[in-house]
Amino acid sequence: VVALVVLAIVLQIATQRRIDTEPRTKVEYRSVIKLIHDRTALCLHSHARSYQHPGSSRQQQITAFAGSNDDDYWIVKCAHNFPETLKAGAPVKHGGVIRLEHLVTRKNLHSHADRPSPVSQQQEVTAFGDDGVGDINDNWKLDIEDGGIWFQSARVRLIHQQTGAALHSHAEHLPAW
């Protein structure tokens, strides 16, 4: 399970700006969460700036952030084209397909195989859509280390459903742009 450890993300549930400290709190659809990369302790982060590099999608930037602010929060939603009302409040389970909507900008965590990242040259990850509406490239399969229901302290991987690529980060320092 070495790959899982390398790509693992530790979850903290945030409820109206407070971090829930109970490790057995279930993650439910419509929960507001903060994801922290296991190896680097950096948060999954976005902000209202788009990539401007030649060949990029020009979509909203996704980064791993060492600080902590409102741009670190994400809403757990069901897969694209799945009625939200059928899942709201239900626990999220291993193997489930989810979307993560950025709380501040209302864009979904997104990826696509047709453009490399301008920095790493790996598959570009962006935030995309308007008011939480996007497309199938917003769908991520949830891989929970011990299976079952997603709890706050669980180590997870997010696998992009369309491409099979795992969301990941590394300890390299990237340009200040």
Side-chain angles (χ1 to χ4, degrees):
V1 190
V2 173
L4 183 61
V5 173
V6 171
L7 301 175
I9 296 173
V10 176
L11 170 78
Q12 293 179 334
I13 298 176
T15 307
Q16 297 180 354
R17 311 269 190 272
R18 291 177 313 162
I19 301 297
D20 187 336
T21 58
E22 173 56 47
R24 295 301 291 175
T25 301
K26 292 178 187 174
V27 178
E28 299 174 341
Y29 289 93
R30 304 304 298 171
S31 290
V32 176
I33 65 170
K34 180 187 245 186
L35 292 164
I36 301 172
H37 186 255
D38 190 39
R39 293 185 68 201
T40 63
L42 301 174
C43 294
L44 181 64
H45 179 89
S46 192
H47 44 256
R49 288 191 187 139
S50 298
Y51 291 112
Q52 297 300 314
H53 301 79
S56 75
S57 65
R58 308 254 186 227
Q59 293 173 357
Q60 186 172 299
Q61 296 175 5
I62 296 291
T63 61
F65 183 60
S68 181
N69 65 32
D70 288 350
D71 287 327
D72 300 339
Y73 292 104
W74 300 84
I75 303 167
V76 179
K77 302 186 331 181
C78 50
H80 178 73
N81 283 337
F82 193 92
E84 290 289 330
T85 55
L86 296 179
K87 286 280 191 174
V92 182
K93 298 178 183 173
H94 173 75
V97 178
I98 64 170
R99 287 178 296 155
L100 293 174
E101 180 183 320
H102 189 244
L103 184 65
V104 174
T105 63
R106 308 270 334 268
K107 294 185 183 294
N108 298 317
L109 185 67
H110 180 89
S111 192
H112 35 255
D114 63 336
R115 296 184 193 275
S117 162
V119 177
S120 69
Q121 297 305 305
Q122 296 170 351
Q123 184 170 311
E124 184 182 65
V125 177
T126 66
F128 172 78
D130 294 308
D131 293 324
V133 176
D135 63 29
I136 59 171
N137 284 314
D138 303 338
N139 289 345
W140 299 83
K141 183 179 177 187
L142 183 64
D143 183 7
I144 303 171
E145 184 175 42
D146 294 325
I149 292 174
W150 192 6
F151 287 97
Q152 173 183 334
S153 58
R155 292 162 44 114
V156 302
R157 285 192 310 167
L158 295 174
I159 311 296
H160 189 249
Q161 189 178 33
Q162 292 300 107
T163 65
L167 180 66
H168 90 133
S169 188
H170 39 77
E172 294 175 28
H173 290 290
L174 302 177
W177 50 261

